[in-house]
Amino acid sequence: STFHCAARRWAALLAWSTVMPVTMRWGRCWPMFLLFCALGAQAAPEVVENSLGMKFVRIPAGDFTMGSDATPADLAKHFPHYDAVRLGKIDDEAPAHRVHISRAFYLGQHEVTVGQFRRYLQQSGAVPESIADHTGGYGYNPDYDPDKTVRGDAFEGRDPKYSWTNPGFRQGDDEPVVNVSWNDAVAMAKWLSAKEGRRYRLPTEAEWEYACRAGSDTTFPNGDDPQGLLAIANTFDADAAVNWPRWQEWALPGHDGYAFTSPAGSFAPNAFGVYDMLGNVWEWVGDWYGADTYAHAPAADPTGPASGSRYVRRGGAWHSWSLYARCGFRNWNPPESRYTLLGIRLLYEADH
């Protein structure tokens, strides 16, 4: 199709552009410039703004290859610092299979921001789960030592002092909200649906990966080299590693400019015109998790298992190592989970 040809041109140009300097702020402007060159002004995405000031991009129907058949040996070529055990824990990404998305949809151009979530709470009267159950969330504490805890988690929690208003670091209203559960995300979608008369929901896992890949068939939307993430995503790099020196070897050897979350739209969009599909915060999707989901999934509009105990989250976050910020990587949590790396991106269904 015309779109997929343009998307392939964009992916090739963006992959080339990642050799440009990214340690300087203007270095990230190159992918944006090349995007417009590749797609042309006539292919600018259709963007709609809702009552909370959230922008949504129309994603066309189409086909793509979901998942990956990459072996640990394949991944080791691009992730040489990872041991075989880590590289082997990806079998739930297989088999790679063709998926048809039969209906266009509108996907949040950005992850839900702190300011948008605050407006939702003020207008709806909703109380986030981390506050309602009085157990709080997780947060960054420079004095916290994971080795002195049972779980060994990178962040302190759960603790009532942490919630969507306090993840342990300062956030602006234009940065993605964190410490929100799957239940919080669904509640927000239901309220918006009732308020605006159109159906909001979380994307399915297939819709999410289709939108993330945006016509590409590589590990990342801009190629297979993890170093390319510095141009398109806020992940674990030299800026974040300052606060976690024990994990320095897993950090990308470069700077994306952010030690924690970054403002929405700080990096280049993908070929659909969507930002931060990788990095910044993990994003809940609507599907229950199943390790063998792909082996039994229908070819058209799959929605995951009928039941389960954990929901899928996708995309990686500002603290994610590059192996876990791939288009095909899958992770999961129970619906009541809330975490300082976990946020929301909503979808609303297009009229047909």
Side-chain angles (χ1 to χ4, degrees):
S1 67
T2 300
F3 164 74
H4 284 93
C5 288
R8 284 192 291 271
R9 291 198 301 272
W10 173 87
L13 284 168
L14 187 51
W16 172 83
S17 75
T18 57
V19 304
M20 300 300 293
V22 292
T23 55
M24 297 178 65
R25 181 73 53 172
W26 59 263
R28 285 198 296 269
C29 294
W30 278 97
M32 297 281 274
F33 170 75
L34 292 168
L35 168 66
F36 292 114
C37 292
L39 298 183
Q42 75 279 6
E46 177 187 345
V47 180
V48 178
E49 188 169 325
N50 76 357
S51 60
L52 291 179
M54 300 165 61
K55 294 181 179 180
F56 290 79
V57 176
R58 185 179 176 88
I59 307 296
D63 301 88
F64 77 111
T65 298
M66 184 175 185
S68 172
D69 289 324
T71 65
D74 295 330
L75 288 173
K77 297 174 185 177
H78 297 290
F79 301 94
H81 299 301
Y82 293 77
D83 59 59
V85 174
R86 285 190 182 276
L87 296 177
K89 293 181 178 179
I90 57 164
D91 53 348
D92 62 352
E93 298 176 21
H97 56 291
R98 293 295 289 176
V99 171
H100 177 60
I101 302 297
S102 67
R103 296 163 65 93
F105 56 90
Y106 286 85
L107 185 66
Q109 189 171 36
H110 306 285
E111 294 153 335
V112 175
T113 66
V114 171
Q116 292 162 352
F117 194 70
R118 179 183 295 109
R119 289 193 288 275
Y120 152 64
L121 297 180
Q122 291 171 340
Q123 295 180 32
S124 68
V127 180
E129 203 162 11
S130 61
I131 296 173
D133 65 15
H134 306 291
T135 65
Y138 289 80
Y140 170 68
N141 179 352
D143 297 322
Y144 164 77
D145 184 354
D147 291 339
K148 295 181 180 179
T149 65
V150 175
R151 293 180 66 242
D153 199 282
F155 297 92
E156 184 178 43
R158 288 187 196 177
D159 191 308
K161 70 182 178 183
Y162 298 120
S163 70
W164 74 274
T165 64
N166 176 29
F169 53 88
R170 181 174 297 179
Q171 284 191 300
D173 274 5
D174 58 351
E175 296 182 41
V177 67
V178 297
N179 270 324
V180 283
S181 68
W182 186 92
N183 296 321
D184 292 332
V186 170
M188 184 180 188
K190 288 182 177 178
W191 180 82
L192 277 168
S193 297
K195 183 176 189 287
E196 299 186 0
R198 54 190 177 194
R199 189 188 177 207
Y200 284 85
R201 58 177 173 83
L202 290 170
T204 65
E205 190 172 13
E207 289 167 337
W208 188 94
E209 188 168 329
Y210 174 63
C212 179
R213 292 188 179 279
S216 68
D217 58 4
T218 46
T219 305
F220 310 101
N222 59 339
D224 293 317
D225 185 356
Q227 201 66 21
L229 282 171
L230 292 169
I232 65 169
N234 176 13
T235 58
F236 193 67
D237 67 340
D239 293 309
V242 170
N243 298 316
W244 285 273
R246 71 179 65 195
W247 293 315
Q248 178 69 50
E249 65 179 304
W250 310 111
L252 284 175
H255 298 266
D256 61 25
Y258 300 97
F260 298 102
T261 54
S262 54
S266 296
F267 296 82
N270 68 15
F272 279 143
V274 181
Y275 296 79
D276 297 320
M277 290 298 290
L278 299 178
N280 223 4
V281 295
W282 289 94
E283 301 172 10
W284 289 109
V285 301
D287 298 19
W288 290 109
Y289 173 76
D292 62 347
T293 296
Y294 293 175
H296 311 289
D301 303 315
T303 57
S307 62
S309 60
R310 302 164 293 179
Y311 281 100
V312 177
R313 57 180 168 99
R314 287 295 211 110
W318 57 269
H319 195 266
S320 297
W321 304 348
S322 55
L323 178 68
Y324 308 122
R326 294 175 293 112
C327 293
F329 183 71
R330 310 174 69 207
N331 213 318
W332 39 261
N333 278 108
E336 70 278 6
S337 294
R338 72 295 305 255
Y339 201 56
T340 193
L341 306 179
L342 189 50
I344 303 169
R345 188 189 301 268
L346 293 181
L347 169 158
Y348 79 77
E349 297 180 353
D351 295 328
H352 295 278

